[in-house]
Amino acid sequence: MSPASEHPTPVEIVGLAPMAHRIMGGENLGHLRMRLEAKVAKDPSDAAAWLDLGILLELCFYKAEGLASQARALALNKVFRVPASKAGTGLRLLMFVGPGDIMANVPAQFLLVNSDVSLDLAFVQLGQPLPELPAHDLALVGIGESDANRPLLDQLSKDLEAHPVPVLLDPLKVQALARDRLWRLLEGVPGLLIPPTVRTSLNDLKGLTEGRQALEDLLPGGAYPILLRPTDSHGGKGLERLSGPDDLSRYLNQAQGEEFYLSRFIDYRGSRGYHRKLRIALIDGRAFPCHMAVAEHWMLHYLNAGMDSDPSKREEEARLFATFDTDFALRHAGALAALCTRADLEYFAIDCAETRDGELLIFEADTAMIVHDMDPPAQYPYKGPQMQKVFRAFRDMLGRAASQKRPEV
């Protein structure tokens, strides 16, 4: 980096977390949208307004318009600042991010709510050199694993070889979290179950229905029921459980895309016939629960589990939080420790469950999973204190890392 006096000062944005918190709190941000639209109409060179407008549009479910606004911002500027929530001289964190929606990068803005950390977002674009960077104490690779991001991670790995301050989340190790690589990374860990997941083409899948090949030719130990989803899909979009060749034919007849992830379905129903799916943050090797969804259906996400309407589900989640360190984390201590050792990342999150045999079932792992404290406190009084533990652990991890010298390269 150049001398401190030569470092640019990034333009400030409102950012993702403040807007998301206000929307989740029931506020209509139509007035903010009108103000941002008026700003860019008056001054089309206002990169910060374009970026904030893009974030707001996406939060309001106008994804295409939001990404177009983001592109306008990035044509004007590449580095933006989210000021620290608390006054003082806190840590200066630089996060390398990629263009894309709010699921594309590490949700650091949520993790740093009410923090003394100032966050600078440096956008990395394929085939372009890194932008001029502001002064910073620590850098973090915020680009999550995906097909779209993989070339950016490869490029960033080279760009950061001689970076003068510590860098968290090695880009190459982030790539090992891909669905078709994660199961090989974790294969053989005692007490941990992750079914083989392979990447396959539409043509190969049609070969199954036409008798040109057998399921076990594509999927190790392949047997129905199977799970099939388009690559780079999230939130259950395009994901289906298929019980046999007829189901597969139906799926392929309406499928969009040319490549898919194929894996074996694991029945993880527990007591009372409910499925329980946990999101756990792993911070410097320690596990922190962030939520647990409870529902009868297998395709389970927190938003479709009916947690708001069922006090008994929320009571179960509260018990998990209260007993996690002395119960769940102890039962799966070996599996969680091996998971952290093999991933070798300072921060990431997993979606997981427990099998009937007591194994830790891993669905996916990623650095970009959303972790937040936006649930209404009156309905979820146990959530805020738990998430503050997560946020403190994340802040402490940043502080420890910033105090370390960059290894010689």
Side-chain angles (χ1 to χ4, degrees), residues 72-395:
R72 292 289 297 268
L74 298 187
L76 297 164
N77 203 348
K78 300 292 190 298
V79 186
F80 302 85
R81 173 163 294 169
V82 182
S85 304
K86 291 182 178 179
T89 55
L91 188 71
R92 300 170 301 177
L93 176 63
L94 175 72
M95 185 166 76
F96 295 100
V97 296
D101 62 29
I102 58 177
M103 299 291 291
N105 299 290
V106 173
Q109 293 178 58
F110 290 117
L111 292 161
L112 296 173
V113 168
N114 297 324
S115 166
D116 65 340
V117 177
S118 66
L119 176 65
D120 291 338
L121 306 175
F123 280 85
V124 180
Q125 293 183 293
L126 195 61
Q128 297 185 21
L130 290 179
E132 190 176 359
L133 301 176
H136 54 286
D137 306 305
L138 181 69
L140 183 147
V141 174
I143 301 172
E145 195 288 321
S146 69
D147 280 5
N149 285 344
R150 205 162 293 137
L152 288 178
L153 290 167
D154 284 335
Q155 176 176 299
L156 195 54
S157 179
K158 297 181 177 65
D159 289 340
L160 295 179
E161 286 178 350
H163 201 70
V165 303
V167 180
L168 302 181
L169 306 188
D170 184 315
L172 299 182
K173 293 175 183 176
V174 170
Q175 293 190 56
L177 302 182
R179 293 182 187 274
D180 58 335
R181 297 178 64 184
L182 182 65
W183 75 274
R184 294 192 181 278
L185 182 70
L186 301 180
E187 195 171 17
V189 172
L192 185 150
L193 176 62
I194 179 168
T197 299
V198 298
R199 191 181 183 115
T200 189
S201 68
L202 181 62
N203 183 62
D204 283 341
L205 291 169
K206 287 182 176 179
L208 296 180
T209 64
E210 296 166 359
R212 290 188 277 113
Q213 56 187 344
L215 181 57
E216 54 266 27
D217 295 333
L218 297 182
L219 182 66
Y224 289 100
I226 57 173
L227 294 178
L228 199 59
R229 75 176 78 220
T231 56
D232 278 356
S233 64
H234 296 282
K237 184 178 181 181
L239 171 64
E240 285 197 35
R241 179 179 62 184
L242 308 175
S243 299
D246 290 343
D247 280 353
L248 178 58
S249 294
R250 174 189 52 77
Y251 182 97
L252 297 180
N253 286 337
Q254 58 191 15
Q256 297 182 356
E258 293 294 323
E259 291 195 313
F260 302 83
Y261 283 129
L262 170 66
S263 63
R264 183 163 56 93
F265 174 75
I266 304 295
D267 188 347
Y268 64 103
R269 279 176 298 179
S271 61
R272 296 181 292 137
Y274 281 116
H275 299 83
R276 294 167 177 85
K277 185 177 180 182
L278 291 75
R279 177 156 296 177
I280 296 175
L282 288 308
I283 304 173
D284 260 356
R286 184 178 172 190
F288 295 85
C290 298
H291 68 230
M292 180 174 71
V294 183
E296 294 182 354
H297 50 274
W298 68 269
M299 195 192 297
L300 184 53
H301 305 283
Y302 202 75
L303 294 178
N304 72 8
M307 301 294 288
D308 284 355
S309 60
D310 193 331
S312 67
K313 293 180 179 180
R314 298 197 298 276
E315 290 169 4
E316 186 172 345
E317 184 181 39
R319 285 195 301 273
L320 171 81
F321 287 176
T323 64
F324 184 83
D325 289 341
T326 57
D327 185 19
F328 188 100
L330 282 184
R331 289 201 309 276
H332 301 292
L336 289 168
L339 167 64
C340 291
T341 297
R342 295 195 184 190
D344 195 22
L345 291 164
E346 297 85 357
Y347 169 83
F348 65 105
I350 58 171
D351 280 345
C352 63
E354 289 183 287
T355 69
R356 295 175 181 177
D357 296 330
E359 291 184 297
L360 182 67
L361 173 63
I362 304 294
F363 297 113
E364 63 176 312
D366 199 352
T367 58
M369 288 185 183
I370 298 295
V371 173
H372 66 80
D373 66 344
M374 294 186 291
D375 296 292
Q379 200 168 18
Y380 297 85
Y382 55 90
K383 273 287 186 70
Q386 175 61 27
M387 296 315 297
Q388 288 306 310
K389 292 181 183 178
V390 177
F391 301 161
R392 282 195 299 271
F394 187 77
R395 174 61 179 88

Side-chain angles (χ1 to χ4, degrees), residues 48-59:
W50 278 116
L51 190 62
D52 275 333
L53 178 60
I55 294 168
L56 180 56
L57 287 168
E58 187 180 346
L59 288 172

